[in-house]
């Protein structure tokens, strides 16, 4: 029997296939990694990859339709077909599937769904109005899994779960009662929760102390970026809000701005953006998909931005200037949240009980320059970056500060699929 953990984004699908061991005390075995990339990328073919553990199957590395026109709902069944054929795997062998769902509202645990018992999907579709560019894809994936694997049970796991411990004074918005009746309270919920939970567990294991004693500030930096303040292993604040738009800038997200800006930038911002299959206003489209690093530097590739900053000869003078501004804006916003959250921890926890600042996500894990520049601003708290360690790229958990540094810095490779699998074992009891 197998468990499949699926992680659907607007531009990619990731997943891991785990063999379920005969005994509950035995660890899950990862037998395959799978993914689809270049979704929504006009002019680029979607890439389909299945990478098997040695001897488990034949690897797949293929191209499909143009990313700008491919039907999203067709991709999970296609991926399942490639998985099944390349590994001599019967589809009925997959008994459980987990789906990372961005917005779960006030839910404090995951939701099970199966063929004929799909009530949870309707509720998730309702919440798509708060994360239309995220939840909708997860719902499509879950529906297609139910059709392709009619005898399995799925577990919907929400990025908002980890942040249910944020206190009311932190999650409350200072707004009057609204004229509409939304499907959930309008407040901060926070996201990237599966990643943060995975990081807490990794730090706990690495430091040899219980999760209840972990005190860290985490910067999850990828195409979507957020920060979290974690005290005693629990979230007490995070940068994202009602939707993933609030907080840090991302690859195409504006992050926190004066809300009135959009009315001047896009006068008809309340009108429908015309995206097929979902209701998205022009404001949501501009702020979520046309802003951030893309707007400032003309690219979402952080490596390209760093190259243009450090090597002006590699680009035009305009590209160098725009990349430099983008990098400085990104660093400024990051420091705003990291410093705020360090102060929040220091108000109740002594410095020697703070385990440090953690960087994760694609940019956080690969951005040695960014990590150095961020931690360098906390020299006054005793942060001492070790350039050799910071430049090292191996290890799931690695320290990047010197021995004796009073404020420690870390890189932790997050594992959302692994954490989803752990939650599924707890829920299903296998």
């Amino acid at each position: 029997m197998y468990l499949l953990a699926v992680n659907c984004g607007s531009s990619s699908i990731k997943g891991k296939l785990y063999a379920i061991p005969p005994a509950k005390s035995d660890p899950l075995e990862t037998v395959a990694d799978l993914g689809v990339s270049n979704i929504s990328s006009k002019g680029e073919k979607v890439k389909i990859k299945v990478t098997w553990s040695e001897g488990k199957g034949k690897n797949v590395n293929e191209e499909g339709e143009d990313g700008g026109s491919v039907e999203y709902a067709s991709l999970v069944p296609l991926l399942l077909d490639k998985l099944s054929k390349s590994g001599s795997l019967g589809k009925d062998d997959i008994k459980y599937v987990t789906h990372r769902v961005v917005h779960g509202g006030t839910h404090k645990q995951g939701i099970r769904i199966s063929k004929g018992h799909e009530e949870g999907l309707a509720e998730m579709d309702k919440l798509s109005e708060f994360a239309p560019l995220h939840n909708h894809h997860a719902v499509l994936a879950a529906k297609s899994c139910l059709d392709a694997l009619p005898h399995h049970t799925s577990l919907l796991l929400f990025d908002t779960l980890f942040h249910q411990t944020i206190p009311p004074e932190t999650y409350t918005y200072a707004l009057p009662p609204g004229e509409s009746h939304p499907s959930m309270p309008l407040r901060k919920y926070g996201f990237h929760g599966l990643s943060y939970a995975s990081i807490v567990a990794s730090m706990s294991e690495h430091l040899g102390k219980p999760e209840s004693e972990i005190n860290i500030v985490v910067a999850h930096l990828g195409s979507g970026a957020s920060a979290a303040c974690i005290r005693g292993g629990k979230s007490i604040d995070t940068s994202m809000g009602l939707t993933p738009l609030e907080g840090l800038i991302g690859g195409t997200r504006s992050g926190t701005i004066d809300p009135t800006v959009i009315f001047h930038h896009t006068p008809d911002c309340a009108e429908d953006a015309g995206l097929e299959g979902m209701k998205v206003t022009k404001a949501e489209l501009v702020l979520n998909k046309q802003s951030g690093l893309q707007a400032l530097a003309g690219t979402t590739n952080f490596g390209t931005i760093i190259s243009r900053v450090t090597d002006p000869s590699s680009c035009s003078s305009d590209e160098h200037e725009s990349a430099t501004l983008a990098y400085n804006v990104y660093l400024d916003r990051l420091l705003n949240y990291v410093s705020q959250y360090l102060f929040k921890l220091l108000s109740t926890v002594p410095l020697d009980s703070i385990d440090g600042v953690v960087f994760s996500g694609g940019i956080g894990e690969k951005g040695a320059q960014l990590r150095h520049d961020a931690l360098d601003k906390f020299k006054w708290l005793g942060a001492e970056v070790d350039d050799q360690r910071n430049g090292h790229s191996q290890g799931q958990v690695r320290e990047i500060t010197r021995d004796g540094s009073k404020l420690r810095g870390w890189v932790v490779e997050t594992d959302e699929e692994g954490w989803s699998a752990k939650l599924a074992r707890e829920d299903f009891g296998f």
Side-chain angles (χ1 to χ4, degrees):
M1 292 197 301
Y2 295 90
L3 161 72
L4 177 64
V6 179
N7 185 346
C8 290
S10 56
S11 60
S12 67
I13 298 171
K14 297 186 295 182
K16 287 184 181 180
L17 183 70
Y18 299 92
I20 298 174
K24 291 182 180 181
S25 57
D26 294 337
L28 291 172
E29 178 192 3
T30 305
V31 293
D33 289 89
L34 50 153
V36 182
S37 58
N38 292 340
I39 305 169
S40 302
S41 296
K42 190 175 180 180
E44 295 189 53
K45 300 287 188 182
V46 294
K47 293 184 178 180
I48 303 141
K49 291 186 71 173
V50 179
T51 305
W52 290 91
S53 299
E54 188 173 352
K56 300 293 185 180
K58 185 177 180 181
N59 292 345
V60 175
N61 192 353
E62 300 177 2
E63 290 187 341
E65 298 177 41
D66 185 278
S69 58
V70 69
E71 289 284 336
Y72 196 99
S74 70
L75 293 173
V76 171
L78 176 63
L79 198 55
L80 288 171
D81 186 61
K82 299 294 183 186
L83 180 69
S84 176
K85 290 178 178 177
S86 64
S88 301
L89 182 73
K91 289 184 178 179
D92 284 348
D93 293 335
I94 300 175
K95 297 298 183 184
Y96 306 101
V97 179
T98 66
H99 297 272
R100 176 195 168 217
V101 181
V102 169
H103 217 314
T106 56
H107 279 281
K108 290 181 169 56
Q109 60 185 28
I111 296 176
R112 291 188 191 185
I113 59 169
S114 57
K115 197 72 173 174
H117 300 277
E118 302 161 34
E119 299 81 5
L121 284 179
E123 185 179 354
M124 290 306 101
D125 241 352
K126 269 189 177 181
L127 292 179
S128 289
E129 66 179 293
F130 298 101
L133 300 167
H134 304 87
N135 269 32
H136 182 66
H137 293 110
V139 170
L140 286 177
K143 286 179 178 177
S144 60
C145 273
L146 289 175
D147 291 335
L149 307 170
H151 301 114
H152 89 283
T153 303
S154 273
L155 182 65
L156 307 181
L157 295 168
F158 311 118
D159 261 339
T160 45
L161 288 173
F162 183 73
H163 300 296
Q164 294 297 318
T165 50
I166 292 176
E169 64 270 21
T170 301
Y171 69 61
T172 299
Y173 290 139
L175 289 171
E179 296 178 5
S180 64
H181 299 284
S183 55
M184 64 181 186
L186 302 180
R187 44 155 284 194
K188 178 192 285 275
Y189 287 94
F191 303 94
H192 288 144
L194 295 173
S195 173
Y196 289 129
S198 162
I199 289 165
V200 169
S202 293
M203 287 294 290
S204 169
E205 182 178 357
H206 183 82
L207 294 173
K209 58 196 290 189
E211 293 182 14
S212 60
E213 295 179 11
I214 297 295
N215 302 303
I216 49 177
V217 174
V218 185
H220 177 107
L221 309 176
S223 57
S226 70
C229 184
I230 297 169
R231 184 178 65 204
K234 306 292 185 184
S235 174
I236 61 169
D237 203 351
T238 191
S239 57
M240 289 180 169
L242 172 70
T243 77
L245 183 60
E246 187 179 348
L248 297 170
I249 69 171
T252 59
R253 289 191 193 121
S254 68
T256 295
I257 59 172
D258 183 329
T260 62
V261 167
I262 193 62
F263 299 107
H264 300 283
H265 179 279
T266 310
D268 59 348
C269 60
E271 292 185 8
D272 189 85
L275 296 185
E276 188 177 348
M278 63 183 83
K279 182 174 174 55
V280 177
T281 65
K282 289 183 177 179
E284 289 171 303
L285 184 65
V286 168
L287 295 173
N288 279 286
K289 303 300 287 185
Q290 298 172 3
S291 300
L293 294 174
Q294 180 66 47
L296 293 174
T299 178
T300 61
N301 189 313
F302 202 77
T304 299
I305 291 172
I306 290 293
S307 177
R308 290 175 180 175
V309 171
T310 57
D311 182 12
S313 66
S314 68
C315 59
S316 69
S317 60
D318 285 347
E319 287 174 330
H320 171 67
E321 288 180 12
S322 63
T324 300
L325 176 62
Y327 180 79
N328 289 338
V329 170
Y330 194 93
L331 177 61
D332 175 79
R333 303 303 190 271
L334 175 61
L335 290 170
N336 283 351
Y337 283 98
V338 173
S339 58
Q340 177 190 158
Y341 292 164
L342 280 171
F343 271 112
K344 187 164 276 197
L345 285 180
L346 284 167
S347 68
T348 57
V349 178
L351 180 58
D352 60 7
S353 293
I354 294 176
D355 298 300
V357 177
V358 175
F359 297 88
S360 69
I363 293 173
E365 293 170 17
K366 298 173 185 175
Q369 184 67 51
L370 180 69
R371 296 193 300 264
H372 179 279
D373 291 347
L375 287 173
D376 197 53
K377 300 294 185 183
F378 297 103
K379 281 182 177 177
W380 62 278
L381 274 177
E384 299 179 59
V385 180
D386 185 309
D387 290 333
Q388 185 173 356
R389 288 177 176 177
N390 189 37
H392 188 63
S393 60
Q394 298 297 317
Q396 184 179 359
V397 179
R398 56 188 186 272
E399 185 171 3
I400 57 174
T401 42
R402 296 175 184 170
D403 293 341
S405 179
K406 291 181 180 177
L407 178 66
R408 302 169 81 179
W410 304 87
V411 175
V412 179
E413 296 178 5
T414 189
D415 184 9
E416 291 165 316
E417 293 80 28
W419 190 256
S420 296
K422 177 183 180 298
L423 293 178
R425 290 195 84 173
E426 292 174 0
D427 192 284
F428 293 117
F430 58 77

